[in-house]
Amino acid sequence: MSLVVGILKTDVAHHLIQGCGGGDYDQMMLNWLRQVAPDLSIRTFDCVAGEFPSAEAIDAVAGFIITGSKHSAYETVEWIQQLKACVADLDRRRKPVLGICFGHQILAEALGGRVIKNPKGWEVSHSTFALTDSGRSVLGTDKPALCMLQMHQDVVSDVPPGMEVIASNDFGVEMMRKDNHILSIQGHPEFSAAVIRKILELREGVIPEPLRQHGLAVVDSPTDARWFASVALAFFRRGGRPE
């Protein structure tokens, strides 16, 4: 039986970004994971519209991915508060959850940590971050660092109790984990270089120009995104159990 992963979708991609990425954010997740699991399928929950999984829906999927978003995890709008409650429930159930960018940050906020606008500014395009010894063990690799595409200006400033930082760089916390059922990454393994390039084009005048130009110059550099798809697949197949 093929694996089914729930997508907690937290934004709608700009139509020009969808054109570069092969669809909206949930479709980008599917395209990314199908590089290593062609028969994988997804079930999307539109969190912005107030759609969250029931107990039956939670049991019907292997786990959940929380997508990126233009919103901030510290906003007080109703759907973000509902999402935090959903995350806390998934944690209590020890259901596997992978948080990506905004999803990484919402996991921190929902489980007792804090997210702020990063005083160091934007982290965009190609980025490298160092793994801890524990991070290498958790991810099953001897890589000293990972490379990933990025697009964010918020950062986890306070790590929740029980969560462990397993990767970081000068911008801050890049990856966290909790036991065997929660994993988070600040970068965007699901984004192609074309998607990041289009976002950089659309954010002219928003991202400082020297940084934006540097991002465009390095956007095609190799990343560990496909390798991390295999990590994510193994994470969901374990179902929150130890390796």
Side-chain angles (χ1 to χ4, degrees), residues 1-5 30 34 37-42 60-63 233 236-237:
M1 187 170 64
S2 64
L3 201 68
V4 181
V5 174
L30 180 60
R34 277 189 171 171
D39 61 343
L40 181 139
S41 60
I42 60 171
V61 299
L233 184 65
F236 288 121
R237 281 183 171 157

mmCIF file of all heavy atoms in Angstrom, residues 1-5 30 34 37-42 60-63 233 236-237:
data_model
loop_
_atom_site.group_PDB
_atom_site.id
_atom_site.type_symbol
_atom_site.label_atom_id
_atom_site.label_comp_id
_atom_site.label_asym_id
_atom_site.label_seq_id
_atom_site.Cartn_x
_atom_site.Cartn_y
_atom_site.Cartn_z
ATOM 1 N N MET A 1 0.851 -1.202 0.000
ATOM 2 C CA MET A 1 0.000 0.000 0.000
ATOM 3 C C MET A 1 0.881 1.244 0.000
ATOM 4 O O MET A 1 1.859 1.309 0.742
ATOM 5 C CB MET A 1 -0.908 0.004 1.228
ATOM 6 C CG MET A 1 -1.942 1.121 1.224
ATOM 7 S SD MET A 1 -3.173 0.928 2.534
ATOM 8 C CE MET A 1 -2.159 1.093 3.991
ATOM 9 N N SER A 2 0.545 2.209 -0.846
ATOM 10 C CA SER A 2 1.370 3.409 -0.949
ATOM 11 C C SER A 2 1.190 4.301 0.272
ATOM 12 O O SER A 2 0.146 4.290 0.930
ATOM 13 C CB SER A 2 1.014 4.187 -2.220
ATOM 14 O OG SER A 2 -0.315 4.658 -2.151
ATOM 15 N N LEU A 3 2.235 5.067 0.542
ATOM 16 C CA LEU A 3 2.242 5.976 1.686
ATOM 17 C C LEU A 3 1.376 7.198 1.382
ATOM 18 O O LEU A 3 1.427 7.745 0.277
ATOM 19 C CB LEU A 3 3.680 6.399 1.956
ATOM 20 C CG LEU A 3 4.027 6.920 3.345
ATOM 21 C CD1 LEU A 3 3.928 5.792 4.361
ATOM 22 C CD2 LEU A 3 5.452 7.481 3.330
ATOM 23 N N VAL A 4 0.581 7.628 2.370
ATOM 24 C CA VAL A 4 -0.209 8.857 2.254
ATOM 25 C C VAL A 4 0.270 9.824 3.327
ATOM 26 O O VAL A 4 0.321 9.481 4.508
ATOM 27 C CB VAL A 4 -1.719 8.593 2.429
ATOM 28 C CG1 VAL A 4 -2.506 9.893 2.276
ATOM 29 C CG2 VAL A 4 -2.208 7.549 1.442
ATOM 30 N N VAL A 5 0.634 11.021 2.911
ATOM 31 C CA VAL A 5 1.116 12.061 3.830
ATOM 32 C C VAL A 5 0.132 13.219 3.815
ATOM 33 O O VAL A 5 -0.300 13.671 2.742
ATOM 34 C CB VAL A 5 2.523 12.540 3.415
ATOM 35 C CG1 VAL A 5 2.960 13.715 4.287
ATOM 36 C CG2 VAL A 5 3.529 11.400 3.518
ATOM 37 N N LEU A 30 4.501 17.259 -2.989
ATOM 38 C CA LEU A 30 4.304 15.964 -3.644
ATOM 39 C C LEU A 30 5.385 15.720 -4.696
ATOM 40 O O LEU A 30 5.965 14.623 -4.761
ATOM 41 C CB LEU A 30 2.915 15.902 -4.274
ATOM 42 C CG LEU A 30 2.565 14.604 -4.996
ATOM 43 C CD1 LEU A 30 2.617 13.415 -4.039
ATOM 44 C CD2 LEU A 30 1.190 14.712 -5.651
ATOM 45 N N ARG A 34 8.003 12.655 -4.472
ATOM 46 C CA ARG A 34 7.893 11.622 -5.510
ATOM 47 C C ARG A 34 9.204 11.385 -6.266
ATOM 48 O O ARG A 34 9.302 10.423 -7.022
ATOM 49 C CB ARG A 34 6.763 11.982 -6.484
ATOM 50 C CG ARG A 34 5.398 11.565 -5.959
ATOM 51 C CD ARG A 34 4.319 11.716 -7.002
ATOM 52 N NE ARG A 34 3.067 11.115 -6.547
ATOM 53 C CZ ARG A 34 1.906 11.250 -7.175
ATOM 54 N NH1 ARG A 34 1.838 11.982 -8.288
ATOM 55 N NH2 ARG A 34 0.815 10.680 -6.710
ATOM 56 N N ALA A 37 9.807 8.493 -4.000
ATOM 57 C CA ALA A 37 8.669 7.600 -3.745
ATOM 58 C C ALA A 37 7.573 7.888 -4.765
ATOM 59 O O ALA A 37 6.607 8.602 -4.466
ATOM 60 C CB ALA A 37 8.144 7.788 -2.323
ATOM 61 N N PRO A 38 7.705 7.363 -5.984
ATOM 62 C CA PRO A 38 6.769 7.703 -7.066
ATOM 63 C C PRO A 38 5.306 7.378 -6.777
ATOM 64 O O PRO A 38 4.409 7.991 -7.367
ATOM 65 C CB PRO A 38 7.290 6.873 -8.244
ATOM 66 C CG PRO A 38 8.725 6.622 -7.932
ATOM 67 C CD PRO A 38 8.795 6.489 -6.443
ATOM 68 N N ASP A 39 5.043 6.422 -5.882
ATOM 69 C CA ASP A 39 3.661 6.040 -5.596
ATOM 70 C C ASP A 39 3.077 6.767 -4.392
ATOM 71 O O ASP A 39 1.935 6.511 -3.995
ATOM 72 C CB ASP A 39 3.558 4.528 -5.385
ATOM 73 C CG ASP A 39 4.406 4.039 -4.210
ATOM 74 O OD1 ASP A 39 5.299 4.786 -3.758
ATOM 75 O OD2 ASP A 39 4.166 2.904 -3.748
ATOM 76 N N LEU A 40 3.833 7.680 -3.804
ATOM 77 C CA LEU A 40 3.343 8.415 -2.633
ATOM 78 C C LEU A 40 2.187 9.328 -3.030
ATOM 79 O O LEU A 40 2.153 9.876 -4.134
ATOM 80 C CB LEU A 40 4.488 9.235 -2.035
ATOM 81 C CG LEU A 40 4.168 10.053 -0.766
ATOM 82 C CD1 LEU A 40 5.336 9.956 0.222
ATOM 83 C CD2 LEU A 40 3.925 11.529 -1.102
ATOM 84 N N SER A 41 1.221 9.493 -2.123
ATOM 85 C CA SER A 41 0.117 10.422 -2.357
ATOM 86 C C SER A 41 -0.053 11.330 -1.148
ATOM 87 O O SER A 41 0.508 11.076 -0.070
ATOM 88 C CB SER A 41 -1.182 9.665 -2.643
ATOM 89 O OG SER A 41 -1.531 8.823 -1.559
ATOM 90 N N ILE A 42 -0.808 12.396 -1.335
ATOM 91 C CA ILE A 42 -1.009 13.369 -0.264
ATOM 92 C C ILE A 42 -2.498 13.622 -0.052
ATOM 93 O O ILE A 42 -3.329 13.380 -0.930
ATOM 94 C CB ILE A 42 -0.304 14.706 -0.550
ATOM 95 C CG1 ILE A 42 -0.834 15.342 -1.849
ATOM 96 C CG2 ILE A 42 1.212 14.536 -0.596
ATOM 97 C CD1 ILE A 42 -0.341 16.760 -2.102
ATOM 98 N N ALA A 60 -5.491 8.172 9.324
ATOM 99 C CA ALA A 60 -5.477 7.663 7.946
ATOM 100 C C ALA A 60 -4.208 8.017 7.171
ATOM 101 O O ALA A 60 -4.015 7.528 6.060
ATOM 102 C CB ALA A 60 -6.694 8.183 7.194
ATOM 103 N N VAL A 61 -3.342 8.866 7.748
ATOM 104 C CA VAL A 61 -2.111 9.260 7.050
ATOM 105 C C VAL A 61 -0.896 8.862 7.878
ATOM 106 O O VAL A 61 -0.986 8.630 9.091
ATOM 107 C CB VAL A 61 -2.080 10.783 6.767
ATOM 108 C CG1 VAL A 61 -3.242 11.185 5.866
ATOM 109 C CG2 VAL A 61 -2.090 11.595 8.050
ATOM 110 N N ALA A 62 0.247 8.781 7.193
ATOM 111 C CA ALA A 62 1.488 8.387 7.875
ATOM 112 C C ALA A 62 2.040 9.497 8.744
ATOM 113 O O ALA A 62 2.788 9.245 9.709
ATOM 114 C CB ALA A 62 2.533 7.973 6.835
ATOM 115 N N GLY A 63 1.701 10.717 8.433
ATOM 116 C CA GLY A 63 2.189 11.884 9.163
ATOM 117 C C GLY A 63 1.829 13.133 8.391
ATOM 118 O O GLY A 63 1.082 13.080 7.402
ATOM 119 N N LEU A 233 11.038 10.601 3.775
ATOM 120 C CA LEU A 233 10.295 9.377 3.495
ATOM 121 C C LEU A 233 10.524 8.336 4.589
ATOM 122 O O LEU A 233 9.569 7.717 5.089
ATOM 123 C CB LEU A 233 10.724 8.827 2.139
ATOM 124 C CG LEU A 233 9.981 7.590 1.651
ATOM 125 C CD1 LEU A 233 8.522 7.903 1.387
ATOM 126 C CD2 LEU A 233 10.644 7.046 0.383
ATOM 127 N N PHE A 236 8.613 9.268 7.782
ATOM 128 C CA PHE A 236 7.179 8.941 7.758
ATOM 129 C C PHE A 236 6.941 7.437 7.791
ATOM 130 O O PHE A 236 5.993 6.964 8.430
ATOM 131 C CB PHE A 236 6.504 9.561 6.546
ATOM 132 C CG PHE A 236 6.359 11.060 6.640
ATOM 133 C CD1 PHE A 236 6.923 11.892 5.694
ATOM 134 C CD2 PHE A 236 5.670 11.640 7.690
ATOM 135 C CE1 PHE A 236 6.801 13.264 5.793
ATOM 136 C CE2 PHE A 236 5.534 13.011 7.812
ATOM 137 C CZ PHE A 236 6.107 13.831 6.854
ATOM 138 N N ARG A 237 7.780 6.675 7.143
ATOM 139 C CA ARG A 237 7.597 5.230 7.151
ATOM 140 C C ARG A 237 7.819 4.631 8.537
ATOM 141 O O ARG A 237 7.216 3.619 8.876
ATOM 142 C CB ARG A 237 8.544 4.590 6.127
ATOM 143 C CG ARG A 237 8.025 4.720 4.702
ATOM 144 C CD ARG A 237 8.923 4.023 3.707
ATOM 145 N NE ARG A 237 8.287 3.988 2.391
ATOM 146 C CZ ARG A 237 8.937 3.852 1.257
ATOM 147 N NH1 ARG A 237 10.255 3.742 1.243
ATOM 148 N NH2 ARG A 237 8.282 3.834 0.099
#
